[in-house]
Amino acid sequence: MISSNRVLAIGEIAVGMNVGITYDPNHLEDEINKYNIVMETYKESNPGSRVSTIDIPYSPLLGFNFRYQFNYLLFRLGCHLAKPVYTEGSITPLGGVKNKIRVTTYQNSYPLSIGFILPLKERTYFFMGVGLAYNQAYVKINQSVPSQSSSLFSGAGLSTNRRDRYTQDFAGYHLIFGAEVPINKRFTVSTEWIHQEGRSYPLNNGGIDESGNEIILPRRTINVEGDFILFGVNYYIKI
Amino acid sequence: MIRRLLAFILFTQPFSAPLIAANVNYTIGIFGGVMPSFGGSMNSSIQREYFDSESGIDGMRRSMSGIETSKIDRLTGIFLGIQTKTIFRDFYMIRFAGSYCNGFIGGSGKSIFYSTDYGNYYQLECDYSFWEFDFPLTLGLSIPFWKDAKIFLSCGVAFAYGEYKNKFTSSTYPDPFTRKGSFSKWAFPLIVLLEGEYFISSQIAVNSTISYYRGSTKVLTDNTKNDYLGFGMNGAVDYAKIDFSGYRFSMGVSYYYYSI
């Protein structure tokens, strides 16, 4: 009896591994859509030109988490890595050279959550929490021959640089909701949904212009608003 | 025999043979509900370029004294669907569903736009419509709650196909016009689904669900290109994406093949 009370007071520690999926990490959809609209409009009014539009990326997720549970309280530190395969499009003006536009991005987030557990049975929980997240975000847009479409893109407020690159670490916040059930005495499986928000301050460009000169403009922000779907396996450490 | 046949129809039969011994239950049910902000803002290039709205329907809500206008709301969709669930080892579940959703409320009204050619404001009638069907497949956990309730949390992806149409007309403009846009395409939105179920008998349960979809198509080119008369022949070809994102609220009933 004394022993079980001590365990309850100490709480439980678990480590877990997650895999999952997210849509449009770093929120590039609006910018990609702008490129696509400009290219499609050009193709419509210039028969013979060729266009391949850019896909909005989905990304697999790999994650780890460390949790400490104390009665009805949950403290969770996560690490989620999102790196989609690059997405690419192109425009070839009539009689011109193909300009390939390649979007490369990744996002690492480290959410620290505090939440409540709704225990239903032994190691059978619903939980929800909120917290801050430390985000590492990276966005790079390369154009192979930007001179082929510079008048089009500049007219729409889009970049005409050979490379635009932005990277920054910054804080955000998130909401987490999940469920967990036991496999055996030590292992559990979980399903989690994380919605996160966060935006960097305007960042200098680390790219190069059409002529190959280093540039710092235009500045832009990175928006990490998004949703993570995670499936996990967790191991409870005896303490 | 009948139960076996029904299980086969439930698509989950391939999983069932080795799992029946491990406590598998099947459900089939129907559900219906509403989706606020169905289709999102329904923004398109003609609204941005010629009617000065960067945010679709939201930006088209305008009024001005001397010109008759009316409120244009985002669409609210109503959907109906059928779902099957396979619950195995008490805690694990696979859900497959099919649903059809159609815009029911909102999406039409009268606005104004400013013409740089004539330096004046004119009335603009706006009409938006959207329908879609989707087949979501989610994996997740089923947690029995007391004796006669279950809570499900599952995540996954859907195959979704939708058609979005818009129409902008002005009869007061000096060069009267009607512009129509039509877009159709499929996509794979991500889904999170939370469902609570209460058993009214040992095999029948009523349920309530909130689900969140996140995903859209790429930018699509207008399928209606012969609407170029009037408006200086501008804006005949429109560009837009189809947005499947948003929350859905539903209620339904499920039948369990084996008594709980």
Side-chain angles (χ1 to χ4, degrees):
Chain A
M1 187 64 186
I2 293 168
S3 169
S4 65
N5 282 342
R6 188 175 298 155
V7 169
L8 188 64
I10 292 171
E12 288 189 303
I13 290 175
V15 290
M17 183 176 165
N18 303 95
V19 293
I21 189 168
T22 186
Y23 173 76
D24 189 22
N26 296 328
H27 216 63
L28 299 170
E29 183 173 2
D30 288 345
E31 186 167 0
I32 289 173
N33 283 341
K34 272 188 183 175
Y35 277 105
N36 288 343
I37 287 173
V38 169
M39 293 194 292
E40 288 281 13
T41 307
Y42 178 80
K43 181 184 162 193
E44 194 68 34
S45 53
N46 293 274
S49 58
R50 292 195 304 277
V51 157
S52 166
T53 52
I54 309 167
D55 286 318
I56 313 295
Y58 286 84
S59 173
L61 281 172
L62 180 65
F64 306 93
N65 70 79
F66 171 86
R67 286 189 294 178
Y68 175 64
Q69 294 169 202
F70 181 79
N71 290 344
Y72 296 102
L73 282 177
L74 167 72
F75 301 90
R76 180 187 186 278
L77 177 63
C79 165
H80 306 125
L81 317 175
K83 172 76 178 76
V85 177
Y86 67 82
T87 180
E88 192 174 85
S90 66
I91 178 167
T92 311
L94 190 58
V97 179
K98 180 190 277 190
N99 178 24
K100 275 189 190 174
I101 303 141
R102 176 179 290 191
V103 179
T104 310
T105 189
Y106 72 72
Q107 183 189 110
N108 302 331
S109 58
Y110 306 91
L112 177 63
S113 319
I114 299 172
F116 290 102
I117 297 168
L118 176 64
L120 302 171
K121 292 181 186 175
E122 187 179 6
R123 296 214 169 113
T124 306
Y125 309 116
F126 277 102
F127 56 89
M128 65 180 300
V130 295
L132 298 175
Y134 179 75
N135 301 291
Q136 298 173 313
Y138 176 87
V139 174
K140 184 173 77 172
I141 300 173
N142 276 354
Q143 295 189 46
S144 58
V145 192
S147 58
Q148 291 297 303
S149 49
S150 55
S151 58
L152 280 177
F153 290 164
S154 63
L158 293 166
S159 171
T160 59
N161 295 319
R162 188 176 294 275
R163 185 180 72 206
D164 294 287
R165 188 176 62 193
Y166 304 88
T167 182
Q168 183 63 283
D169 300 354
F170 55 95
Y173 61 93
H174 69 280
L175 166 75
I176 181 169
F177 193 82
E180 181 176 349
V181 297
I183 301 174
N184 59 32
K185 196 174 178 185
R186 293 246 168 253
F187 283 93
T188 63
V189 293
S190 58
T191 303
E192 290 161 308
W193 169 54
I194 296 177
H195 177 80
Q196 68 172 24
E197 299 272 349
R199 187 186 285 269
S200 73
Y201 57 84
L203 308 172
N204 282 343
N205 192 348
I208 54 176
D209 65 13
E210 280 187 62
S211 312
N213 302 313
E214 290 189 358
I215 52 174
I216 60 166
L217 298 175
R219 293 189 179 91
R220 65 170 287 171
T221 60
I222 298 179
N223 182 357
V224 294
E225 184 257 321
D227 296 281
F228 292 174
I229 287 174
L230 296 164
F231 298 97
V233 177
N234 310 289
Y235 176 74
Y236 279 80
I237 299 166
K238 191 175 182 181
I239 55 174
Chain B
M1 182 61 191
I2 292 171
R3 283 178 173 172
R4 291 266 181 178
L5 184 62
L6 286 169
F8 178 77
I9 293 167
L10 284 174
F11 147 90
T12 48
Q13 178 63 18
F15 302 103
S16 67
L19 293 173
I20 275 179
N23 188 20
V24 179
N25 206 342
Y26 305 99
T27 77
I28 186 165
I30 56 170
F31 60 92
V34 297
M35 180 176 179
S37 193
F38 182 48
S41 72
M42 308 189 109
N43 202 358
S44 69
S45 63
I46 189 171
Q47 295 170 76
R48 200 163 31 233
E49 195 168 344
Y50 298 105
F51 305 136
D52 201 25
S53 169
E54 288 287 338
S55 51
I57 287 183
D58 304 339
M60 297 297 280
R61 294 174 65 155
R62 302 183 187 120
S63 66
M64 183 180 178
S65 58
I67 297 179
E68 183 195 348
T69 58
S70 61
K71 192 170 68 170
I72 312 170
D73 287 322
R74 287 192 180 201
L75 282 171
T76 296
I78 285 187
F79 60 92
L80 283 173
I82 183 167
Q83 68 169 348
T84 70
K85 290 196 292 265
T86 301
I87 301 160
F88 51 98
R89 294 181 191 272
D90 291 334
F91 290 129
Y92 309 105
M93 59 89 78
I94 300 171
R95 177 184 183 271
F96 181 68
S99 69
Y100 171 79
C101 191
N102 205 334
F104 183 66
I105 301 170
S108 64
K110 291 175 183 173
S111 182
I112 54 171
F113 74 104
Y114 181 75
S115 167
T116 51
D117 292 339
Y118 294 97
N120 206 350
Y121 288 91
Y122 297 95
Q123 188 187 62
L124 184 69
E125 290 180 36
C126 309
D127 191 38
Y128 302 83
S129 68
F130 182 42
W131 62 262
E132 65 95 38
F133 61 81
D134 59 83
F135 298 99
L137 176 65
T138 59
L139 312 174
L141 302 178
S142 157
I143 298 184
F145 195 70
W146 305 118
K147 189 183 172 187
D148 45 12
K150 285 178 186 286
I151 302 175
F152 303 93
L153 178 66
S154 61
C155 304
V157 67
F159 170 84
Y161 181 89
E163 184 179 70
Y164 155 42
K165 288 183 177 178
N166 61 35
K167 182 181 170 188
F168 305 98
T169 303
S170 179
S171 53
T172 60
Y173 189 66
D175 184 18
F177 63 88
T178 296
R179 288 289 176 271
K180 294 179 180 176
S182 171
F183 313 89
S184 55
K185 184 84 174 178
W186 48 266
F188 293 100
L190 303 182
I191 295 173
V192 179
L193 193 141
L194 177 67
E195 177 178 351
E197 213 167 49
Y198 178 75
F199 286 82
I200 54 176
S201 76
S202 62
Q203 285 181 285
I204 296 175
V206 291
N207 57 60
S208 175
T209 306
I210 176 172
S211 52
Y212 175 64
Y213 282 53
R214 175 81 187 253
S216 61
T217 66
K218 283 200 288 189
V219 167
L220 307 172
T221 304
D222 182 6
N223 294 324
T224 309
K225 299 176 182 174
N226 58 357
D227 51 341
Y228 52 83
L229 293 176
F231 201 38
M233 300 179 76
N234 291 318
V237 182
D238 200 1
Y239 302 93
K241 68 175 183 180
I242 297 176
D243 191 356
F244 297 99
S245 303
Y247 288 92
R248 300 183 180 204
F249 306 93
S250 66
M251 296 192 76
V253 60
S254 295
Y255 172 77
Y256 279 69
Y257 288 99
Y258 300 105
S259 177
I260 58 164

